[in-house]
Amino acid sequence: MKKICIDPGHGGRDPGAVAEGIKEKDINLAIALKLMPLLIGAGHKIILTRSTDEFIDLYNRAECANSAGSDIFISIHNNAADNPNAQGTETLFYKGSIKGEKWARTIQNKLIKKLQRPDRGVKPRDNLIVLKYTAMPAVLIECAFLTNSTERKLLQDIGFQLLIAEGIMEGIEEYFQEV
């Protein structure tokens, strides 16, 4: 049994990206709430940084994972861009984290296979609090673009949200088998 911290990005007064009235915070939470029972069913212990539409400070999200002794941290997000044609999935990790990069590549590969969306790659970031201040391998997934009309429609579909959750779940299982 592994302890997994799931962080549905944004929440409360912080909607995240908004496009055509669709708020990122709501999609992120919906995906997290579909992922949680899959992981529990596989025998993992789950820690959610939020389970309702509430604002949680970024440092508190990292502290939640750290104080629980989580084995891995997943922050679920959806992207936005000025260009409405921008689309695809990308996974971010803390720059210099070897385990974080391995974890990000595993998740990205599973999501691309499952979602059939363009592969925007795995990217190092050194300025994201939830990646920088977590003591375990951590990733931030940008599942799709709310600002792309095709992906926005997909993100509102419960079946697509479940595909994202399943892709994350498969990535988690493979990562734990490899490490």
Side-chain angles (χ1 to χ4, degrees):
M1 177 185 75
K2 300 290 186 180
K3 283 187 190 173
I4 300 167
C5 184
I6 304 169
D7 173 41
H10 307 287
R13 68 178 187 254
D14 174 11
V18 179
E20 301 294 321
I22 307 303
K23 297 177 181 138
E24 179 188 358
K25 67 178 182 173
D26 298 329
I27 304 291
N28 298 345
L29 183 59
I31 294 165
L33 293 176
K34 286 172 183 61
L35 176 59
M36 185 176 71
L38 296 177
L39 293 170
I40 290 170
H44 299 296
K45 180 172 181 185
I46 305 309
I47 297 96
L48 284 173
T49 58
R50 69 179 180 97
S51 58
T52 61
D53 183 18
E54 64 181 307
F55 177 79
I56 308 285
D57 175 85
L58 293 172
Y59 291 97
N60 290 342
R61 293 170 190 260
E63 181 51 35
C64 176
N66 293 339
S67 63
S70 300
D71 294 295
I72 56 173
F73 177 89
I74 309 149
S75 192
I76 298 171
H77 287 260
N78 284 284
N79 228 330
D82 290 335
N83 178 355
N85 296 318
Q87 60 181 320
T89 303
E90 64 189 36
T91 305
L92 313 176
F93 67 96
Y94 185 68
K95 185 177 181 178
S97 170
I98 294 166
K99 286 184 179 176
E101 183 174 2
K102 181 177 182 55
W103 169 217
R105 288 195 189 287
T106 302
I107 281 281
Q108 180 73 6
N109 290 338
K110 291 295 181 183
L111 284 171
I112 293 305
K113 191 177 289 185
K114 189 67 99 170
L115 303 179
Q116 299 294 303
R117 302 308 304 154
D119 185 350
R120 294 178 59 88
V122 169
K123 300 175 180 175
R125 294 289 293 275
D126 61 4
N127 61 339
L128 298 176
I129 291 165
V130 295
L131 299 180
K132 185 174 184 176
Y133 292 103
T134 43
M136 68 290 306
V139 296
L140 188 150
I141 303 164
E142 296 281 7
C143 302
F145 278 79
L146 276 171
T147 49
N148 177 287
S149 62
T150 300
E151 291 194 344
R152 182 171 55 253
K153 285 181 188 124
L154 286 170
L155 286 167
Q156 294 173 80
D157 181 78
I158 292 168
F160 189 75
Q161 293 171 3
L162 188 57
L163 281 178
I164 294 169
E166 290 169 352
I168 294 170
M169 164 76 175
E170 290 173 13
I172 287 168
E173 293 299 314
E174 183 173 310
Y175 176 75
F176 284 140
Q177 288 172 4
E178 291 175 356
V179 295

